[in-house]
Amino acid sequence: VLTPTWDTINGKITLNQDGEGIFTKDRFGDGYISYRVKFGADLSASRMSLKFCSVEQNFNEIPGVTTYYLHTKATGEMILVKYLGESKFELHPSITTVAANTEYKIEVFKFGSTIKVYIDGVLKATVTDTSLTSGYIGFGCWAGSIEYRDIQIIAASPDATNGIAACIPPIG
């Protein structure tokens, strides 16, 4: 049972249980994801998970499904991993280490086979992987409670109605 707490006044969502998360309604390919995340006092009980998955689902693994995770370990170390079905691959084993009671701005750019991760405006990781070209985006919680706010998802596809191309008039 998912029980996210929405705070529409302050523009944030709080996830309060292990494996809890929310997903986008539509599939996305290339684009930009930006959000702020606040970690609690106990990092082992305040673990972030950003998921990019080929099927709309919960935060459990499904055999045969390709999934990327940007998440924090109980030590506060942020990593980028990929699952191909039940096989796990570390794409970047140590992006940064987060501190307790601290908020971070996280930006993820995915264009073609390149994924770039920025923390507070500083490029922390660049990886190349061609396994997943489009999918659903999820914000989740592993253990304890985590707070997300200021979530932005911008698709870069030329035919996306919410994308960069939709904001730029044709030239010529």
Side-chain angles (χ1 to χ4, degrees):
V1 175
L2 299 180
T3 58
T5 303
W6 292 93
D7 179 345
T8 55
I9 305 247
N10 296 306
K12 65 182 178 181
I13 181 171
T14 303
L15 302 173
N16 297 303
Q17 66 186 34
D18 188 25
E20 180 176 65
I22 58 169
F23 278 86
T24 57
K25 180 180 160 230
D26 298 316
R27 293 178 67 88
F28 290 88
D30 289 345
Y32 166 79
I33 303 164
S34 172
Y35 60 97
R36 292 190 175 278
V37 61
K38 184 170 184 182
F39 295 91
D42 180 1
L43 291 175
S44 66
S46 182
R47 294 171 54 201
M48 174 209 71
S49 185
L50 173 69
K51 183 174 188 175
F52 190 67
C53 184
S54 59
V55 297
E56 187 177 16
Q57 58 155 350
N58 59 24
F59 275 79
N60 297 320
E61 299 311 314
I62 297 175
V65 172
T66 302
T67 307
Y68 293 98
Y69 283 105
L70 175 66
H71 73 102
T72 52
K73 296 180 178 182
T75 60
E77 187 175 33
M78 188 181 295
I79 64 173
L80 180 62
V81 296
K82 171 179 74 172
Y83 283 89
L84 288 175
E86 296 177 2
S87 299
K88 178 182 175 181
F89 304 91
E90 283 195 355
L91 298 177
H92 201 291
S94 182
I95 293 172
T96 194
T97 301
V98 299
N101 293 318
T102 305
E103 181 177 272
Y104 296 89
K105 180 176 183 182
I106 299 177
E107 298 169 287
V108 179
F109 291 84
K110 188 221 169 275
F111 291 99
S113 60
T114 302
I115 301 168
K116 293 184 178 188
V117 179
Y118 291 79
I119 310 296
D120 291 332
V122 177
L123 178 63
K124 294 288 188 173
T126 300
V127 298
T128 301
D129 190 84
T130 60
S131 300
L132 186 59
T133 56
S134 71
Y136 297 90
I137 299 165
F139 296 88
C141 176
W142 292 109
S145 177
I146 196 97
E147 180 182 295
Y148 293 96
R149 68 181 183 90
D150 300 336
I151 297 172
Q152 294 180 332
I153 301 171
I154 301 173
S157 169
D159 59 350
T161 57
N162 71 329
I164 295 168
C167 301
I168 303 170
I171 299 172

